Amino acid sequence: MTSQPVVAHTREDLLPARKALDGSVAVVMTMGALHEGHAELIRTARKSADHVVVTIFLNPLQFAVGEDLSRYPQTFDDDLAICAREDVSVVFAPTPDVVYPQGEPGVRVSAGPLGEVLEGASRPGHFDGVLTVVAKLLHLVQPDFAFFGQKDAQQLLLIRRMVRDLDFPVEVIAVPTVRETDGLALSSRNTYLSAADREVALSLSRALQAGADQSVAGPAAVRRAAREVLVREPLALVDYLVLVHPDSLEQVPEWYRGPALLAVAAKVGTTRLIDNLPLEIGPAHEV
């Protein structure tokens, strides 16, 4: 029998709920529309902590004018059912006026140069909005651990940098991307895809896998193999396909051997999708 989590909608609700949690606490931050990828985050968090707090907050700061804030799926009852099934202790589901009581904050966390490339180049200011809300939620929840998905690799890197550079007393833990059996990375935005769009979207994960299969041969082979898959799918409008260092997000040179991140972003139909695979470039004995 599953137990229902305590649901807090305000800071005043959250404070006693958080104080009642004995032992270690992990947080999983979401914007709602939970799926199996979120469930895996929660399950992984439960293995590391005595309690899990899930935040459900559709953060307006990370959406630019013209992006999909107004149509982002909201499925709170279903989200709560998943949290109950996965033994979440507390769900914090505030409204924007609770998180930002004075309106849009005049002071925000800057993502710096790392927030201006890749996703940041296509979505200016996006990561400032992400880091600002993550900082606020870390202050409000006071967790020992924070779990984030590898699918949002740039976000994960920036959150780790913020926690390190600003001395947040929390350990950030990455959880591998959860995929459908055909390879499509799970995302709340997948609900926007038509059946035809979904077939097109599979080219992203196939391109990443094709690149990964050439990792022993070096960066040029990885890039070439991934690109060849994408050029065969003209309905996937590619924003970027890059092979970068996972810590600097700088393109790796041809001579490079070591850890790398193969990342792609593309528009399929009306939906912008991202995906990535961590790789080890070069023969195993060079690692």
Side-chain angles (χ1 to χ4, degrees):
M1 180 179 178
T2 58
S3 58
Q4 291 295 316
V6 174
V7 178
H9 291 289
T10 67
R11 295 166 184 247
E12 292 75 19
D13 294 338
L14 177 63
L15 187 60
R18 173 63 182 87
K19 284 185 174 179
L21 302 180
D22 294 325
S24 58
V25 173
V27 68
V28 173
M29 299 184 189
T30 82
M31 294 199 300
L34 303 191
H35 50 65
E36 187 58 27
H38 296 109
E40 181 61 23
L41 282 170
I42 296 168
R43 285 192 289 269
T44 305
R46 284 288 293 123
K47 295 174 183 176
S48 298
D50 298 310
H51 300 279
V52 176
V53 176
V54 170
T55 67
I56 298 176
F57 178 60
L58 191 55
N59 177 35
L61 287 194
Q62 65 195 72
F63 289 82
V65 175
E67 290 189 340
D68 59 349
L69 174 63
S70 62
R71 69 170 185 145
Y72 197 88
Q74 298 184 56
T75 56
F76 185 73
D77 289 343
D78 292 339
D79 297 345
L80 202 58
I82 290 174
C83 290
R85 185 191 76 199
E86 301 300 338
D87 199 24
V88 169
S89 297
V90 177
V91 172
F92 181 42
T95 54
D97 63 300
V98 171
V99 177
Y100 307 116
Q102 281 78 46
E104 286 200 14
V107 175
R108 305 188 187 195
V109 178
S110 170
L114 279 177
E116 297 171 357
V117 299
L118 303 182
E119 285 301 289
S122 299
R123 306 178 67 187
H126 168 70
F127 287 116
D128 293 355
V130 170
L131 293 184
T132 298
V133 77
V134 169
K136 290 176 75 73
L137 291 173
L138 288 176
H139 285 313
L140 290 168
V141 176
Q142 296 288 302
D144 301 290
F145 310 99
F147 287 78
F148 294 92
Q150 173 64 38
K151 191 180 86 67
D152 297 300
Q154 188 174 6
Q155 171 181 282
L156 173 64
L157 172 62
L158 286 164
I159 290 170
R160 281 180 160 157
R161 287 291 181 89
M162 179 185 74
V163 164
R164 182 196 71 185
D165 293 349
L166 301 184
D167 297 310
F168 281 82
V170 63
E171 181 180 352
V172 176
I173 300 172
V175 178
T177 301
V178 178
R179 300 181 180 277
E180 302 278 8
T181 55
D182 57 12
L184 183 67
L186 292 186
S187 169
S188 298
R189 288 185 169 91
N190 289 352
T191 59
Y192 302 156
L193 299 173
S194 67
D197 288 341
R198 196 182 182 288
E199 284 301 311
V200 174
L202 290 174
S203 64
L204 275 65
S205 58
R206 288 170 180 161
L208 295 179
Q209 190 56 56
D213 290 343
Q214 296 298 317
S215 58
V216 171
V222 170
R223 293 182 175 111
R224 183 168 54 250
R227 192 178 301 115
E228 286 174 354
V229 173
L230 292 174
V231 298
R232 293 197 297 268
E233 183 44 85
L235 295 181
L237 304 180
V238 178
D239 181 0
Y240 60 78
L241 172 68
V242 295
L243 183 66
V244 296
H245 193 282
D247 294 330
S248 68
L249 301 182
E250 294 178 350
Q251 295 270 10
V252 299
E254 174 53 27
W255 51 260
Y256 177 79
R257 299 295 183 266
L261 184 74
L262 183 60
V264 64
K267 192 170 185 180
V268 176
T270 61
T271 305
R272 191 170 189 279
L273 299 173
I274 61 173
D275 201 354
N276 68 82
L277 272 183
L279 307 178
E280 193 71 30
I281 303 297
H285 67 272
E286 294 186 16
V287 175

